[in-house]
Amino acid sequence: RIHAAIDKARRGEQVTIAYLGGSITEGALAQPQATRCYAYLSAQEFAERFMADKKQLKYVNAGISGTPSVLGITRLQQDVLRHEPDIVFVEFAVNDNNQTPYRIVYESMIRKLLTSETKPAVILIFTFTENGYSCQPHMQQVGKQYDLGMISVKDAVQPQITMGNMTWRDYSSDYTHPNSAAHAFIAEMIGYYFDQAAATPAEPWEM
């Protein structure tokens, strides 16, 4: 599916990239928020790499502060699917909890995306809080079950803090939200994912 989006971009066709999540996706602490959040920056990474006509990029930021996946699924149609996305990034790892209802709704949301009319590529993003909290463990299982792309900010940043190579304050000025530099870093991670996906031979994907 990611190859299908890349092929459209290279043909000069419109490609829609949507981001569904909470305040991190919305761009909290990025300055200025609209153009320094990881979502906007990574969409531009895609355009720079693959788009024959960058004006054909359609960017949809459906991040809303404080919303977990149980609310994300209720706004899925209005905020994401009606835009007919080719690629969707999903980020709820710090907004959800590990209770069974949240797990069920999260998987249901992913299935709704995967079975939607435009058959978008779905990539999961796992963030974390200062105390290490993240729903990555059960969300990662969903990603493995459906063979999805997954990007773990926690796995990239937390070991560097543990080893003393950086501090939490290098990443965030509060307990959760990346600063502008960290948003740029997440966008670079997504750019790396794009490169790796493009370099991997395409294979048919089935539910």
Side-chain angles (χ1 to χ4, degrees):
R1 292 187 175 195
I2 193 73
H3 277 267
I6 291 171
D7 290 345
K8 285 182 66 177
R10 287 172 171 164
R11 291 194 300 265
E13 300 175 23
Q14 179 174 281
V15 174
T16 301
I17 306 179
Y19 298 78
L20 179 63
S23 54
I24 293 175
T25 293
E26 187 178 26
L29 294 193
Q31 299 293 330
Q33 179 172 302
T35 58
R36 294 300 297 169
C37 64
Y38 85 83
Y40 179 84
L41 293 174
S42 61
Q44 297 305 308
E45 294 268 1
F46 182 91
E48 290 290 334
R49 282 167 167 78
F50 306 118
M51 301 206 71
D53 181 0
K54 296 174 186 174
K55 293 180 181 178
Q56 292 299 316
L57 172 67
K58 183 177 179 182
Y59 161 67
V60 177
N61 190 329
I64 297 181
S65 179
T67 58
S69 58
V70 293
L71 291 178
I73 196 171
T74 66
R75 56 189 184 86
L76 190 60
Q77 179 62 42
Q78 176 66 24
D79 291 357
V80 176
L81 295 181
R82 72 180 179 90
H83 297 288
E84 301 182 335
D86 299 286
I87 303 171
V88 181
F89 288 88
V90 181
E91 177 271 314
F92 284 111
V94 298
N95 290 58
D96 278 14
N97 64 46
N98 292 308
Q99 295 175 356
T100 299
Y102 281 82
R103 295 180 180 222
I104 293 172
V105 169
Y106 182 80
E107 182 174 356
S108 178
M109 181 176 60
I110 298 305
R111 288 183 62 88
K112 284 180 179 292
L113 283 167
L114 292 171
T115 58
S116 61
E117 185 175 353
T118 56
K119 301 187 185 305
V122 177
I123 298 105
L124 311 182
I125 297 179
F126 308 131
T127 50
F128 72 117
T129 64
E130 185 175 9
N131 66 4
Y133 178 81
S134 176
C135 287
Q136 176 175 330
H138 77 255
M139 292 178 173
Q140 189 170 354
Q141 291 303 310
V142 173
K144 289 179 179 178
Q145 180 178 344
Y146 296 101
D147 196 23
L148 305 181
M150 295 182 281
I151 298 169
S152 176
V153 180
K154 179 177 182 178
D155 288 355
V157 174
Q158 193 173 50
Q160 298 303 315
I161 295 174
T162 300
M163 291 186 292
N165 296 328
M166 62 180 292
T167 68
W168 175 259
R169 294 302 168 210
D170 294 323
Y171 175 79
S172 171
S173 60
D174 65 12
Y175 59 93
T176 300
H177 305 98
N179 56 33
S180 292
H183 272 279
F185 173 66
I186 296 170
E188 289 179 10
M189 294 175 68
I190 295 172
Y192 178 77
Y193 171 84
F194 287 144
D195 289 339
Q196 295 301 304
T200 302
E203 295 181 356
W205 186 90
E206 300 292 340
M207 280 284 285

